[in-house]
């Protein structure tokens, strides 16, 4: 795979000050496919300085011109979509069809939405005798995970640029090639030098230096709750703004009136896609006791269909972690009805599509985020019981409700402590705010709510 041996700084690829490197591995066959710099504090400092220096000019650029650059970025991403899909498949391991349909296509839709929003957003409003100006927050530190490598980047960088902010990106160490491709696209789109900068590197080194840097005004982080907590503490001490998209343990609530087969099949597909490495995946399926056995049979059959279709997990560490959870589920008394901890293949970090029945709310696999292709099916007695189970974790990122009538599902969804709920299999909407209640995060991404994270207000009184 093609890789740059520098960092993208102030509009050009330049050698990193740090001599350390990251080896990029293909999770499907465990082969090293490329090498990129592991930037250090000096590299982060140079990138933040570049972003700071160019901030006044970019902040003063008319929104229509910022929108034009985002439209150009959308067009470059569209022109290079096959290369994006191939790169994501090489470093994340997802099947090529999924990389094309999701990993390449969704970021194009999100970039397009911000090209549009930047042009139309009211950056000024009248409130009584005041004019309120919505101004860029400043220099943004974007720290992203590997699970949707390009989407996570675009969901931060596009609204930041639309708002007039400048950015330093530290992408996940496992998927730096997609980030380099994105930097090329930003360059091709004619975004001025210094507005966007990329430092590949390790979280505890480059990531931490970036979060701590006094030249950063906002830290926008997506990743684990453990790292998010540390970043929030660092940002809090420096009175920096922070946006956190963290873990999840979302509930798929199947009410007794629902089309059971559809709810189960869509639910299983939701968990197995991207090998379960989706923060918003509905990893807990809640089924009424009268329909429980039928649901378990359907889910086991649905999961088996993914055995040959599923990609590997991103790394050996992630594979081991997921296997550990499967072993824990067995040890705590849950019943395996599909998959299990054994490796389904000789090479590559694969985990079989796994389904647990007889899962109780107190079990580890019902409480902790597994981040692999593992579904837990829980039994409820009545609606109040279902609600208590659905809301009974520290997380609150997403969820689903299925019922015979939409209104019945909506009534239940209103009582869920979670940021997004799909009603009877509702479609993904790139304009809908995405983010967590409780320990799933702080702030929202996508659409106008995502743009607002990168703006601060100034009021002028007349
Ligand atoms: P992670 O370990 O928290 O890493 C996320 C990012 O933070 C990576 O770029 C990582 O660098 C960096 N990082 C690690 N330690 C850091 C530190 N001390 N200071 C600053 N940055 C640091 O998470 P992950 O394992 O990559 O991703 C899985 C987790 O992300 C899951 O919990 C999942 O739910 C969550 N997630 C949430 C969302 C959402 O939108 N809510 C979306 C996707 C994923 P390295 O790559 O070098 O470790
Ligand atoms: Mg990590």
């Amino acid at each position: 795979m093609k890789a740059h041996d520098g960092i993208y700084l102030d509009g050009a690829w330049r050698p990193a000050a740090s001599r350390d490197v990251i080896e990029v591995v293909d999770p499907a066959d465990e082969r090293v496919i490329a090498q990129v710099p592991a930037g250090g504090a000096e590299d982060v400092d140079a990138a933040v300085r570049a972003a700071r220096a160019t901030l006044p000019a970019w902040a003063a650029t008319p929104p229509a011109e910022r929108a034009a650059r985002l439209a150009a970025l959308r067009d470059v991403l569209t022109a290079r979509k096959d290369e994006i899909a191939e790169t994501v498949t090489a470093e994340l391991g997802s099947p090529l069809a999924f990389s094309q349909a999701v990993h390449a296509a969704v970021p194009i839709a999100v970039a397009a939405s911000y090209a549009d929003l930047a042009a139309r957003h009211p950056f000024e409003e009248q409130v009584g005798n005041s004019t309120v100006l919505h101004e860029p927050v400043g220099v943004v530190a974007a720290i992203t995970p590997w699970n949707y490598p390009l989407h996570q980047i675009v969901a931060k960088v596009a609204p930041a640029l639309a708002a007039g902010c400048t950015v330093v990106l530290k992408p996940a160490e496992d998927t730096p090639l997609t980030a380099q491709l994105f930097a090329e696209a930003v360059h091709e789109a004619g975004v001025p030098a210094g507005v966007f900068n990329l430092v590949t590197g390790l979280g505890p080194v480059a990531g931490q230096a970036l979060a701590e840097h006094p030249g950063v005004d906002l830290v926008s982080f997506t990743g684990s709750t453990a790292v998010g907590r540390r970043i929030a503490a660092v940002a809090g001490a420096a009175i920096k703004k922070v946006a956190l998209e963290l873990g999840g343990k979302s509930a798929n609530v199947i009410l007794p009136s629902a089309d059971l087969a559809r709810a189960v099949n869509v639910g299983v597909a939701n968990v197995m896609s991207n090998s379960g490495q989706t923060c918003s995946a509905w990893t807990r399926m809640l089924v009424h006791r009268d329909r429980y056995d039928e649901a378990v049979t359907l889910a086991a059959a649905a999961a088996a269909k993914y055995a040959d279709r599923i990609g590997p997990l991103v790394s050996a560490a992630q594979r081991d972690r997921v296997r550990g959870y499967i072993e824990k589920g067995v040890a705590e008394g849950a019943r395996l009805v599909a998959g299990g901890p054994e490796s389904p293949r000789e090479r590559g970090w694969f985990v079989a599509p796994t389904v647990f029945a007889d899962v109780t709310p107190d079990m580890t696999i019902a409480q902790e985020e597994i981040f692999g292709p593992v579904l837990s099916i829980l039994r409820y007695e009545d609606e109040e019981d279902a609600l208590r189970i659905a809301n009974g974790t520290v997380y609150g990122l997403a969820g689903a409700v299925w019922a015979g009538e939409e209104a019945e599902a909506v009534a239940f969804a209103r009582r869920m402590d979670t940021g997004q709920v799909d009603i009877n299999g509702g479609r993904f909407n790139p304009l809908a705010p995405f983010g967590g209640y409780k320990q799933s995060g702080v702030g929202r991404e996508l659409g106008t709510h995502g743009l607002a994270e990168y703006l601060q207000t100034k009021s002028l009184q007349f």
Side-chain angles (χ1 to χ4, degrees):
M1 275 266 135
K2 193 178 77 176
H4 290 277
D5 63 1
I7 58 176
Y8 183 71
L9 175 65
D10 204 14
W13 294 93
R14 301 174 203 273
S18 157
R19 306 284 298 275
D20 296 337
V21 296
I22 293 170
E23 286 192 331
V24 187
V25 179
D26 182 337
D29 64 12
E30 305 177 30
R31 260 192 276 265
V32 175
I33 53 170
Q35 190 172 292
V36 301
E42 218 180 302
D43 298 304
V44 166
D45 184 57
V48 173
R49 281 170 194 278
R52 196 91 247 148
T54 189
L55 177 66
W58 183 246
T61 300
E65 170 55 19
R66 301 201 298 254
R69 299 282 60 83
L70 286 165
L73 176 62
R74 170 203 63 204
D75 293 343
V76 177
L77 294 176
T78 305
R80 300 183 70 176
K81 65 182 183 346
D82 293 336
E83 200 184 336
I84 291 168
E86 282 156 24
T87 305
V88 174
T89 288
E91 63 182 357
L92 178 66
S94 52
L96 190 61
F98 188 77
S99 296
Q100 288 164 334
V102 177
H103 290 300
V106 171
I108 292 170
V110 173
S113 76
Y114 281 111
D116 183 48
L117 274 171
R120 291 189 300 104
H121 191 76
F123 288 97
E124 262 188 57
E125 64 178 314
Q126 284 303 129
V127 179
N129 62 310
S130 303
T131 298
V132 178
L133 309 179
H134 296 268
E135 298 188 334
V137 162
V139 173
V140 172
I143 301 176
T144 55
W146 43 263
N147 66 337
Y148 288 86
L150 187 57
H151 169 69
Q152 305 288 9
I153 290 171
V154 173
K156 297 187 189 308
V157 177
L161 299 194
C165 294
T166 57
V167 179
V168 178
L169 168 66
K170 202 303 280 178
E173 64 184 274
D174 294 309
T175 54
L177 302 179
T178 306
Q180 289 194 339
L181 216 163
F182 176 77
E184 286 181 8
V186 170
H187 190 89
E188 266 183 68
V191 173
V195 170
F196 170 81
N197 308 273
L198 168 68
V199 181
T200 50
L202 303 182
V205 183
Q208 186 149 341
L210 183 55
E212 287 175 351
H213 200 291
V216 164
D217 300 297
L218 162 70
V219 186
S220 179
F221 169 83
T222 298
S224 61
T225 298
V227 175
R229 186 173 281 122
R230 297 186 50 168
I231 285 181
V234 166
I239 325 285
K240 278 177 200 167
K241 278 191 84 171
V242 71
L244 305 169
E245 294 289 345
L246 308 176
K249 191 73 191 175
S250 299
N252 179 14
V253 183
I254 305 177
L255 294 175
S257 61
D259 175 344
L260 186 68
R262 178 142 187 274
V264 170
N265 285 326
V266 175
V268 170
N270 171 285
V271 173
M272 300 308 160
S273 80
N274 214 36
S275 301
Q277 304 167 122
T278 304
C279 48
S280 54
W282 312 330
T283 51
R284 296 180 298 146
M285 183 181 284
L286 276 54
V287 185
H288 188 267
R289 62 181 155 87
D290 289 348
R291 308 189 78 188
Y292 190 81
D293 293 339
E294 196 189 336
V296 169
T297 306
L298 286 165
K305 289 193 196 131
Y306 288 88
D308 302 325
R309 278 198 256 157
I310 207 167
L313 298 193
V314 72
S315 61
Q318 200 65 21
R319 188 263 324 264
D320 294 344
R321 213 174 139 243
V322 171
R323 268 198 198 154
Y325 274 115
I326 296 174
E327 282 160 3
K328 187 125 198 186
V330 173
E332 290 185 354
R335 178 165 56 99
L336 261 181
V337 297
E342 303 79 25
S343 265
R345 300 201 203 174
E346 295 245 310
R347 282 188 80 74
W349 298 313
F350 290 86
V351 170
T354 297
V355 178
F356 277 110
D358 299 341
V359 178
T360 55
D362 54 307
M363 288 181 185
T364 306
I365 57 168
Q367 288 295 324
E368 295 185 15
E369 182 176 54
I370 299 175
F371 230 57
V374 183
L375 171 68
S376 296
I377 312 183
L378 294 94
R379 189 185 277 106
Y380 66 81
E381 295 296 315
D382 55 27
E383 218 170 277
E384 291 310 308
D385 193 31
L387 186 72
R388 189 179 52 76
I389 297 170
N391 287 340
T393 77
V394 297
Y395 294 116
L397 188 56
V401 186
W402 302 80
E405 299 294 330
E406 260 177 22
E408 187 191 356
V410 169
F412 190 95
R414 284 183 188 278
R415 302 171 72 198
M416 290 170 79
D417 302 330
T418 193
Q420 272 214 348
V421 185
D422 291 355
I423 304 296
N424 282 347
R427 277 173 305 121
F428 173 72
N429 175 3
L431 293 175
F434 179 86
Y437 279 32
K438 301 191 282 184
Q439 289 185 27
S440 285
V442 174
R444 292 294 180 268
E445 290 195 317
L446 305 182
T448 50
H449 298 81
L451 181 58
E453 296 286 333
Y454 298 93
L455 294 167
Q456 58 189 345
T457 54
K458 176 186 287 172
S459 21
L460 311 178
Q461 282 61 246
F462 294 89

